Each structure stands twice: as C-alpha cells, then as structure tokens.
Amino acid sequence: MIAITGGGTGGHLVIARAIKEELNKRGLKPIYIGSTAGQDKAWFENDTGFEKTYFLESRGVVNKKGLHKLLALFSIIRSAFTCKTIFKDHKIKYVFSVGGYSAAPASFGALLSGIPLYIHEQNAIQGKLNSLLRPFSKAFFSSYDTQATITSYPVSEAFFSIRRERSDLKTIIFLGGSQGATFINHLALNMAKLLHQEGISIIHQTGKKEFEHIKKFYEEEGIQADVFDFSNDIPTKLERADFAISRSGASTLWELCAASVPALFIPYPHAAANHQYFNAKMLADQNLALVLPQSDIDPLALLTQIKSINLVNVSKSLSQMIHEGGAKEIVDFMLQPKK
C-alpha cells in the first residue's frame, strides 16, 4: 500500500492526482494525507480513487517566528506520530510526497517508521521541506534537476491528446490558476477591446473572487468571451487556444508544453524564492516562451510582440520538451522489486 502526501496548492495536488490515477489503473488505491488548510480537502475529500483520506492540522513553519514557529513545529511532530499509526493501520510500504507544508507530518512519519520516502519537486527552485528531506529520501524526482532519479513530469494524458501545431493567432487564453490572478485578470480586461478589434477570441480563467465582475465587463462591452472561474476540463479550453498568457506555476507550465501551446509567462512576484521566474526561464532560455515581469507590460506592445512569434516553430519544439508517461515512470520505479 502507498501513501501520497503533500499539497496546499494546485501545483502540488495535481502531481498527487496524477500518481493516484496511475495507481488506480493498476488496481491500487493509495491513501492520502494532507492538511485541513489549503486546497487539500477541496481536491480530495470525496475522491473515491483513494482508499481513505486524512486531513491533519499541519501548518507552515518557514514564515513563522518565535512562539508561532515553535507551535507549528510541535504540531508537525505530533502529527508525524499520528501518521505512524495511520501507516501501521494501512500497512503502508511507501510514502510519496509532493511537497508543501501538508507533506511534513507524513514525510517525517515515514522516516520515523523506516518506510521509504519518495519526493517529487515541481519547481526549478527546491522547496525548503524538500531540500531538508532529500538526503533521507529513497528517490528524488524533478524535471529541472539533472541529478534527479527521474526527470519526467507527470502530466495527464488529456493534455498530450490535444497537441497540434498552432499557425494562426485566433484565440488567446488567460490563465491565473484555480484561485485566479488579479494582475492577469486586469491585463485581460485591458487587452480585451484590442483583441476584439483584431478578431482574436478570448478564453479567460478568472478565479472565483473576480468572476462576476469580469463576466459583467465582457457583457457590457459586447465582447464574446469564454469566461469561467474554475474548470475540471482545462484541456478542452487549451485545445482551442493558439497562445496562453499565464502565471508560471510548474504544473501549468508543463501542461502547456504537453499541449504545445506557446505562452507568455508572468511569474507571480511573491512566489517563494521567486521559483515561478526560474520555472519559466528554462523555456525562455531556449526561445520557447516569453517571460515578462508585471511591471514591464504594455498591452499594445505586448500584442505586437505576440504576433511576431512563429507559432508553428514554437509549438513543434514544445512538443519535444515533455513526453507521456511521467506518472507511469515514477510508479514503475517505486514498485519495482528492490534488491
């Protein structure tokens, strides 16, 4: 039996889901251990692909000080011993961590129990928990680290199935993630009239907070746009898109690569260790993406820059950056007979 742990944000949780789905294909149901905070419960509380789900009261330590840091550490240690009991009850043989503070109790619980710990790092800059635990892990998976055990990124097959060469700029999709991104929302509204005049269609993921306001804007301006707050079917949206304007969380970046969608990445400036910038820099260094800080964007100049991109060449090259079967490779490695 395998335990999957970690989360907090969609970038972590999408990896947990990919590994869970690969295990389900093999007739295996893992357990999940996450946190009562973050998005963990919203994603997995009712997911029947898990034998059982647990949500513990873990909290982040990194930005805490003084007494608050001590309380957070105490909570992790207490929950680690809870995880030891959970592992024993479910006869857990492996623990797979996707990082984030949600992963701390089960990861430390694995080390205390002598259970092999496998870690997946999504980003170009290692998270503090993953950096701490990496020397004690059985294997470390990362698509940015050439020293990693496996470098394939687990992306749903649905994104590979919609691959195509983009030749004409007919549709732009704005992606702020499941929680939305205020800057990208405002950029979309500032570009909307210009895109409409150019005959370029708009697909816009807003997040829940600003959905009604943005939907009303498009209606009042008479601009037909596919506006949504959250969708479980992003591949269908990307299939119609010729270009994306997006934050550069790792999962979104690799999903766009899998779907061969050229993109402008606008890294979230307050991401830990500026990891979103370094995620996107990997593609920008190969001339496969634009990367701009929020402070340097002018809508008219940006559209001119986007229109100058050779979409055919970029979409062809993106398809070579990632291959199918990342989750399969990881699960194969974990389940292979140990010598």
Side-chain angles (χ1 to χ4, degrees):
M1 178 63 73
I2 293 178
I4 298 175
T5 188
T9 65
H12 296 290
L13 293 164
V14 73
I15 302 297
R17 183 174 62 191
I19 299 301
K20 181 263 301 182
E21 289 175 350
E22 179 60 30
L23 289 167
N24 290 168
K25 289 178 184 177
R26 304 175 189 220
L28 301 173
K29 278 194 174 186
I31 67 169
Y32 173 76
I33 301 176
S35 173
T36 53
Q39 300 177 41
D40 302 4
K41 290 185 77 170
W43 276 62
F44 293 146
E45 186 172 24
N46 300 310
D47 192 323
T48 58
F50 291 105
E51 180 179 284
K52 194 169 179 62
T53 55
Y54 295 90
F55 302 95
L56 308 179
E57 293 185 2
S58 55
R59 62 189 79 174
V61 175
V62 175
N63 297 319
K64 301 287 195 310
K65 294 182 179 179
L67 179 60
H68 293 291
K69 177 165 282 195
L70 288 174
L71 289 173
L73 286 168
F74 175 75
S75 175
I76 290 172
I77 293 169
R78 182 181 59 189
S79 294
F81 282 95
T82 299
C83 289
K84 281 191 66 177
T85 302
I86 293 171
F87 296 155
K88 186 176 180 180
D89 290 344
H90 291 278
K91 298 181 174 58
I92 296 300
K93 294 183 178 180
Y94 313 105
V95 174
F96 179 83
S97 168
V98 297
Y101 64 83
S102 298
S107 296
F108 285 112
L111 299 183
L112 290 170
S113 303
I115 296 173
L117 173 65
Y118 298 85
I119 297 174
H120 188 281
E121 172 59 65
Q122 294 87 54
N123 295 302
I125 302 297
Q126 284 183 39
K128 293 188 182 301
L129 178 65
N130 285 351
S131 295
L132 175 66
L133 293 174
R134 181 173 184 173
F136 306 100
S137 66
K138 189 73 172 178
F140 189 84
F141 311 123
S142 169
S143 296
Y144 295 94
D145 187 341
T146 57
Q147 302 302 311
T149 309
I150 289 177
T151 57
S152 299
Y153 200 94
V155 173
S156 169
E157 294 174 5
F159 291 94
F160 292 97
S161 70
I162 61 167
R163 278 184 171 178
R164 64 178 175 85
E165 290 180 11
R166 272 71 182 175
S167 55
D168 300 310
L169 186 63
K170 297 179 180 178
T171 303
I172 291 180
I173 185 168
F174 292 87
L175 296 167
S178 58
Q179 300 299 298
T182 295
F183 180 85
I184 289 180
N185 284 342
H186 289 174
L187 177 62
L189 300 190
N190 288 333
M191 294 184 71
K193 292 180 183 178
L194 188 60
L195 295 176
H196 185 60
Q197 291 168 4
E198 294 276 342
I200 299 171
S201 298
I202 297 170
I203 303 172
H204 188 169
Q205 179 190 40
T206 66
K208 294 184 183 297
K209 185 178 178 181
E210 299 182 305
F211 172 71
E212 293 297 337
H213 160 68
I214 292 171
K215 182 181 178 183
K216 185 178 179 181
F217 168 87
Y218 286 113
E219 291 172 351
E220 289 179 346
E221 294 295 332
I223 298 173
Q224 296 235 341
D226 180 356
V227 187
F228 63 101
D229 54 0
F230 174 80
S231 173
N232 284 316
D233 193 16
I234 291 294
T236 297
K237 306 288 187 183
L238 290 183
E239 186 172 18
R240 294 157 40 211
D242 302 300
F243 193 85
I245 296 177
S246 174
R247 289 299 194 200
S248 47
S251 291
T252 298
L253 182 147
W254 289 108
E255 286 166 357
L256 289 169
C257 286
S260 301
V261 181
L264 159 68
F265 292 107
I266 307 171
Y268 178 55
H270 306 296
N274 202 20
H275 69 259
Q276 286 206 5
Y277 166 74
F278 290 101
N279 289 350
K281 184 176 183 294
M282 178 272 298
L283 291 180
D285 286 347
Q286 300 175 70
N287 296 316
L288 297 180
L290 297 176
V291 181
L292 292 174
Q294 294 185 175
S295 57
D296 289 353
I297 296 179
D298 171 78
L300 181 58
L302 176 58
L303 181 57
T304 301
Q305 192 172 9
I306 292 171
K307 290 169 70 175
S308 70
I309 295 172
N310 187 319
L311 297 177
V312 173
N313 287 347
V314 173
S315 59
K316 279 183 179 179
S317 298
L318 286 173
S319 66
Q320 299 169 17
M321 292 296 300
I322 185 172
H323 62 267
E324 293 184 68
K328 181 180 183 300
E329 286 184 35
I330 290 172
V331 172
D332 282 345
F333 182 88
M334 285 196 294
L335 298 183
Q336 69 184 355
K338 303 300 185 289
K339 297 180 180 179

